[in-house]
Amino acid sequence: CISVSVPSDQTEVNQTNLKPFVEYQVRVGASLQALNYSGKMQERLIRTYPLSAVAATVLPSGHLQIQWAEKVAAFQDSERVRLTVYDNSSENSDPIFQKTVEARGIVLDGIKFGGKYTIVFQEMTGSENSDTTTITA
């Protein structure tokens, strides 16, 4: 259990040493110690975000595991999104993979060790929201 006192003029608290994709129960309440008063506590379940919005991992099998980590952390892992993967080591600018998937991701095969890939996730809701990362396999 972590407890943090926040000055009344502060609107944000950053906590270090938390793991990504872990759910935490956060309780916030007001107290006036001089009057021995504690207000009603508000509770909320939150999930920590990863450092990168797109997570890409080369598995020991040689497959590429990809997910839109920011969506997963925001409990939107079943949202349908457009995934596009480009092989940066190829002279062809066409994507090597393009498909509608759930934000929780997919595992791809056929990647080349040492190859550079650009991964793009795009929302399909008509908004321009997207996230991109580049990895070396």
Side-chain angles (χ1 to χ4, degrees), residues 96-115:
I96 61 167
F97 183 85
Q98 189 170 41
K99 187 175 181 181
T100 300
V101 299
E102 291 184 342
R104 72 174 47 99
I106 191 168
V107 175
L108 300 177
D109 61 0
I111 63 166
K112 299 175 278 188
F113 284 111

Side-chain angles (χ1 to χ4, degrees), residues 25-45:
Q25 185 71 34
V26 177
R27 293 185 192 117
V28 178
S31 67
L32 298 171
Q33 293 176 345
L35 299 176
N36 199 25
Y37 168 81
S38 292
K40 183 178 175 184
M41 298 289 281
Q42 296 291 320
E43 294 186 14
R44 182 155 189 197
L45 183 66

Side-chain angles (χ1 to χ4, degrees), residues 40-75:
K40 183 178 175 184
M41 298 289 281
Q42 296 291 320
E43 294 186 14
R44 182 155 189 197
L45 183 66
I46 60 110
R47 186 181 295 174
T48 52
Y49 284 75
L51 294 175
S52 176
V54 176
T57 306
V58 178
L59 302 174
S61 63
H63 294 85
L64 182 61
Q65 183 178 27
I66 307 167
Q67 70 177 190
W68 197 343
E70 187 173 81
K71 292 272 186 196
V72 173
F75 300 98

Side-chain angles (χ1 to χ4, degrees), residues 7-9 19 29 47 56 71 73 79 100 116 118 124 135-136:
S8 60
D9 62 343
K19 296 179 181 179
R47 186 181 295 174
K71 292 272 186 196
E79 183 177 326
T100 300
K116 287 188 108 176
T118 296
M124 299 185 60
I135 66 147
T136 301

Side-chain angles (χ1 to χ4, degrees), residues 66 80-87 93-101 106 108 118-122 124:
I66 307 167
R80 306 287 291 169
V81 296
R82 170 69 71 194
L83 170 63
T84 307
V85 180
Y86 298 92
D87 182 350
S93 62
D94 293 335
I96 61 167
F97 183 85
Q98 189 170 41
K99 187 175 181 181
T100 300
V101 299
I106 191 168
L108 300 177
T118 296
I119 301 161
V120 181
F121 278 105
Q122 294 175 298
M124 299 185 60

